[in-house]
Amino acid sequence: MKITGYRELFTQHEWHRPVGDVNGVSVGTRTDVHVLILTTDEGYEGISIGPSSRGDLARVFPAIEGEDPRSVTALYDRMLAYVFKTGHTGSVFASIGAIDDALWDLKAKMAGEPLWRMLGGRTRFVPGYASGLEFGLADEEVHALYQRFADAGFAQAKLKGGRNVDDDVRRLRLVRDVLTANSAQPAMMFDANESWHRSQAVRHIQRIEAEVDLTWIEEPVRRWDAHGLAEVRRSVKTGVATGENLTGLEQYRPLFDADAVDVVQFNSGWGTTNALRVAVVAHAHDLPVSPIGFTPIIAHAASTMPNHLTTEVQDLGQPIGVHIDQEIADGGIVLGNAPGAGITIDEALIEQLPVGQGWATPAGPHVRPERAGLRMVPGDPGDTTWLGA
């Protein structure tokens, strides 16, 4: 059997709300979703879905063209080696991850088994936490959103924030109160999305900790600042979680060397092989792992990890024209028994979709507010609330 080609589709996910974080909020309520279909000379096809990734597949695909698709982990390393000189970071790593997921789907289909079973999983249930990307919503909308998560059995939740501590505390309490329907002590997480420097992080977290019991603080400083993450970790009570934006196993080494992390994260879009390898390295350091992002294939890998803690669940729905054989229930993901990753697609429907607006706000911790279409709101000294201009 040989890999013969691929085709790409771009569908959309309808969130029914703007989504985003302190660095920017989507325009509209739909974002692009990339669909990759690998083809073989024997008619088998492997499918992966994930964040939009245009342009880099053509650069990576020659590394696997004509190869036997069953050699999944060897092909993953072959792709990394193929782009070694010019680097595998950013969207290139996302393309490698998309191909990797499609290969795992293909291999499990050929074996006639669900991917979680082929990878060695014992149970179909993967515990999760609610993460609504709700930064752009008003309080009443946040309440309604997390009520839907609570109705699906969730007792763990993560909120976005980092600009105004009073707003952050109020919203954390709001969501905590909603989730008490399922637990007397819901697990509450908070994500600053790399928007602070070290002293800001410590000050902001300590003020939150005085009011709310946090399970972890996520990405309090830049992803590469291992010493800063270690300093934050020593200065606060809550655990420090990070890793979702690291593109390569080698990038975790400074975090471990600096004793800078309590919960090791990896981006779901970086592929199954990367996830399995990060989990093994974290396990060797007696640390738990938690996948980040909206890529449902990763739940299959999570089911096999002895140090898996909880998986991010960003929405209760599925992308347009995509059916995934899994259910969001009982506070987690219930994997199905369909062969492979359980993904089927309606290509005709997807091809009729207009181009989505996607993540159109050009913001980030290095972007000045006025360039991101934002203005400062006068208030108390140190108040850094941002609103749309």
Side-chain angles (χ1 to χ4, degrees), residues 166-196:
D166 292 332
D167 291 341
D168 296 337
V169 168
R170 184 184 69 255
R171 287 157 78 96
L172 281 163
R173 284 174 166 172
L174 183 158
V175 173
R176 180 194 60 190
D177 291 347
V178 170
L179 298 186
T180 55
N182 297 322
S183 171
Q185 294 182 312
M188 299 302 300
M189 289 77 86
F190 187 77
D191 191 353
N193 288 104
E194 305 180 88
S195 62
W196 296 325

Side-chain angles (χ1 to χ4, degrees), residues 119-134:
L119 290 172
R122 178 175 174 270
T123 175
R124 295 191 299 128
F125 181 74
V126 178
Y129 68 90
S131 178
L133 311 178
E134 73 304 310

Side-chain angles (χ1 to χ4, degrees), residues 6-245:
Y6 68 90
R7 59 187 185 275
E8 293 180 272
L9 299 171
F10 292 90
T11 185
Q12 296 164 20
H13 188 82
E14 175 56 78
W15 301 87
H16 301 287
R17 62 186 187 273
V19 289
D21 57 40
V22 69
N23 296 311
V25 177
S26 67
V27 174
T29 64
R30 291 187 179 186
T31 57
D32 289 343
V33 177
H34 176 249
V35 180
L36 170 66
I37 305 165
L38 283 182
T39 59
T40 68
D41 60 353
E42 294 187 15
Y44 287 98
E45 294 186 337
I47 303 173
S48 70
I49 64 172
S52 179
S53 176
R54 301 174 188 263
D56 287 302
L57 279 167
R59 178 184 169 198
V60 176
F61 182 73
I64 66 164
E65 187 173 13
E67 295 288 326
D68 190 318
R70 293 168 291 189
S71 305
V72 181
T73 54
L75 292 180
Y76 179 82
D77 289 323
R78 184 175 173 84
M79 287 187 285
L80 290 180
Y82 189 80
V83 299
F84 175 76
K85 281 292 187 180
T86 51
H88 60 250
T89 58
S91 59
V92 175
F93 203 61
S95 293
I96 292 172
I99 292 173
D100 182 66
D101 277 343
L103 288 171
W104 280 112
D105 174 59
L106 179 57
K107 184 168 184 174
K109 284 177 178 174
M110 293 172 62
E113 292 187 328
L115 182 56
W116 63 269
R117 178 73 76 187
M118 195 196 71
L119 290 172
R122 178 175 174 270
T123 175
R124 295 191 299 128
F125 181 74
V126 178
Y129 68 90
S131 178
L133 311 178
E134 73 304 310
F135 186 77
L137 304 184
D139 284 6
E140 59 272 19
E141 295 171 310
V142 172
H143 184 281
L145 172 61
Y146 282 91
Q147 183 61 60
R148 292 193 290 274
F149 280 117
D151 293 342
F154 285 88
Q156 308 173 48
K158 183 173 76 183
L159 271 76
K160 304 285 190 177
R163 291 297 177 209
N164 184 295
V165 70
D166 292 332
D167 291 341
D168 296 337
V169 168
R170 184 184 69 255
R171 287 157 78 96
L172 281 163
R173 284 174 166 172
L174 183 158
V175 173
R176 180 194 60 190
D177 291 347
V178 170
L179 298 186
T180 55
N182 297 322
S183 171
Q185 294 182 312
M188 299 302 300
M189 289 77 86
F190 187 77
D191 191 353
N193 288 104
E194 305 180 88
S195 62
W196 296 325
H197 59 66
R198 301 179 193 185
S199 60
Q200 282 179 318
V202 171
R203 184 171 65 251
H204 205 114
I205 298 163
Q206 287 180 344
R207 288 185 63 188
I208 292 176
E209 288 180 324
E211 305 289 340
V212 180
D213 183 25
L214 285 181
T215 299
W216 76 55
I217 178 69
E218 187 170 319
E219 291 192 324
V221 297
R222 303 294 194 268
R223 68 198 72 171
W224 52 79
D225 188 4
H227 293 292
L229 288 162
E231 181 178 328
V232 171
R233 184 170 180 260
R234 290 190 297 267
S235 302
V236 300
K237 297 176 182 178
T238 187
V240 169
T242 191
E244 69 171 287
N245 288 305

Side-chain angles (χ1 to χ4, degrees), residues 321-379:
V322 176
H323 175 73
I324 307 162
D325 186 29
Q326 58 184 235
E327 180 185 4
I328 307 299
D330 300 323
I333 302 166
V334 183
L335 298 168
N337 285 312
I343 301 171
T344 56
I345 58 174
D346 185 339
E347 294 192 50
L349 174 60
I350 291 173
E351 288 173 351
Q352 294 175 6
L353 292 174
V355 176
Q357 291 177 296
W359 303 87
T361 302
H366 292 295
V367 177
R368 294 180 62 83
E370 58 269 27
R371 287 187 57 196
L374 305 167
R375 60 179 172 83
M376 300 297 291
V377 178

